[in-house]
Amino acid sequence: MITKEQIAEKYKEIQEEITQALEKLDGKAVFQEELWEREGGGGGRTRIIQHGDILEKGGVNFSAVHGELPAPIKKAFGVEEDQFFATGVSIVIHPNNPWVPIIHMNIRYFELNENIRWFGGGIDLTPHYVIEEDAKDFHQALKAVCDQYSAQFYEEFKTWADNYFYIKHRNETRGIGGIFYDKLTPEKAGVSMEEIFDFSCALGRLFPKIYTEIVNRNHDKSFTKEEKDWQLLRRGRYVEFNLVYDSGTKFGLETNGRIESILMSLPEQANWFYNFQAQPGSKEEKTLGLLKKGINWVG
């Protein structure tokens, strides 16, 4: 049986692979690393990249924490155990160019005891302007990885992502989705714990490949002030989701996590225009029309 120490070590390796790939992609900026310890137990390795040629701000964080499970989390999980262990890699990248999308990835493992242990994670894409070819290629790449482990994974996890990455108070999805899964066990997945772990690692290693492809298609495109303003507005939507709905943010705050690492997902700049209305027939209106649940991108 795979151990929590083995899982943490592999996730640490994946963090290293991803940061190297993103530095190569940007060509200018490098990651700054900060090692930190959690007061209740464990710690992590925060890596932040800023002010690059392509990447305005991004984080690739690794953590492995343990200790006493706070009462609100125990209640939410419906458990009585006091000691927990959690490890994972979390990524958010905010690019300079409005034509390059924001991307998020998370792979994580949680354990209370031998009987209560699960994996969670996923990858989702948040374009400022939805480019349908990119959206299709992104979803097809995710489906290809899912299909290696289960014929049901993509459809289930894509629907899960549509429902999870939904800004209820705006009646729109955060982006074009991707896949999302949580509390995944062999009983739920129909595959072994080792296969779920392998799946999570495969997702982690897909991340730099698919994002590099999409970035290289778009990062040299010119843009106007109006397109930059739209990007800042879309970043505002991203902030709203992360602060209001994101379960990882809530878990980090409830477990006394490191605040700088928890909020590294936020962009350096974002705007909120009062009562913005997209012009009929505009690129902005088209994008809003594609921020819906249930779109079949692999059709």
Side-chain angles (χ1 to χ4, degrees):
M1 184 173 69
I2 192 164
T3 67
K4 61 180 183 286
E5 291 81 11
Q6 290 172 318
I7 295 169
E9 190 57 36
K10 184 61 68 173
Y11 282 176
K12 207 171 184 179
E13 290 176 13
I14 289 173
Q15 182 203 31
E16 177 67 27
E17 293 170 15
I18 290 171
T19 53
Q20 288 183 12
L22 290 173
E23 285 183 350
K24 181 180 179 181
L25 173 64
D26 187 83
K28 172 189 172 184
V30 297
F31 280 89
Q32 303 298 310
E33 178 177 280
E34 185 173 0
L35 304 178
W36 54 273
E37 293 184 1
R38 177 178 171 273
E39 185 177 335
R45 190 166 71 175
T46 294
R47 290 182 175 177
I48 299 295
I49 193 167
Q50 298 184 94
H51 309 141
D53 279 342
I54 296 171
L55 310 178
E56 181 176 306
K57 180 188 175 188
V60 182
N61 290 350
F62 164 81
S63 63
V65 298
H66 58 86
E68 186 172 343
L69 196 64
I73 301 295
K74 288 171 65 174
K75 183 178 180 181
F77 287 175
V79 298
E80 294 300 324
E81 282 80 0
D82 289 323
Q83 297 298 310
F84 80 97
F85 173 86
T87 186
V89 177
S90 181
I91 303 167
V92 176
I93 302 294
H94 291 281
N96 289 308
N97 193 310
W99 292 101
V100 177
I102 303 166
I103 194 166
H104 160 259
M105 188 205 82
N106 180 272
I107 51 175
R108 60 188 180 276
Y109 170 76
F110 181 87
E111 177 180 307
L112 286 176
N113 53 47
E114 288 187 3
N115 297 318
I116 302 177
R117 48 203 301 254
W118 63 71
F119 288 91
I123 307 179
D124 69 286
L125 197 69
T126 304
H128 311 99
Y129 289 101
V130 175
I131 301 171
E132 293 181 62
E133 180 185 358
D134 291 348
K136 290 175 182 177
D137 288 349
F138 176 73
H139 275 272
Q140 286 168 354
L142 290 176
K143 185 176 185 301
V145 171
C146 288
D147 287 351
Q148 293 176 32
Y149 297 89
S150 170
Q152 283 74 49
F153 274 8
Y154 175 75
E155 288 300 328
E156 291 180 7
F157 298 165
K158 193 266 187 188
T159 300
W160 207 333
D162 281 355
N163 291 329
Y164 181 77
F165 295 108
Y166 184 67
I167 307 173
K168 297 175 186 176
H169 60 273
R170 299 285 188 182
N171 193 31
E172 64 188 41
T173 55
R174 189 171 77 174
I176 59 152
I179 61 170
F180 177 83
Y181 58 97
D182 196 23
K183 299 181 182 176
L184 198 62
T185 62
E187 292 76 21
K188 291 180 181 178
V191 298
S192 70
M193 206 67 173
E194 286 73 18
E195 287 173 305
I196 301 174
F197 172 54
D198 289 344
F199 168 65
S200 74
C201 292
L203 279 183
R205 291 187 163 118
L206 172 67
F207 170 87
K209 179 179 183 293
I210 188 61
Y211 194 53
T212 294
E213 289 179 5
I214 292 173
V215 168
N216 285 337
R217 293 175 188 176
N218 299 297
H219 74 84
D220 284 332
K221 291 181 179 178
S222 61
F223 56 88
T224 65
K225 179 185 182 300
E226 288 73 23
E227 289 163 349
K228 188 66 178 179
D229 285 344
W230 173 252
Q231 177 188 34
L232 296 176
L233 187 149
R234 298 313 307 169
R235 286 180 179 176
R237 297 286 202 270
Y238 202 92
V239 171
E240 289 177 21
F241 177 87
N242 277 31
L243 294 183
V244 176
Y245 301 115
D246 187 72
S247 59
T249 301
K250 293 178 181 179
F251 181 82
L253 295 174
E254 291 283 1
T255 55
N256 194 31
R258 184 173 180 273
I259 191 65
E260 288 298 321
S261 297
I262 296 167
L263 298 184
M264 69 87 187
S265 64
L266 304 185
E268 192 171 273
Q269 291 183 311
N271 283 350
W272 283 264
F273 302 113
Y274 181 76
N275 196 28
F276 177 89
Q277 299 293 322
Q279 293 298 312
S282 66
K283 302 185 299 294
E284 293 77 17
E285 184 185 57
K286 178 184 176 183
T287 283
L288 289 173
L290 292 170
L291 299 181
K292 307 294 182 185
K293 298 181 184 181
I295 295 178
N296 180 3
W297 292 108
V298 298

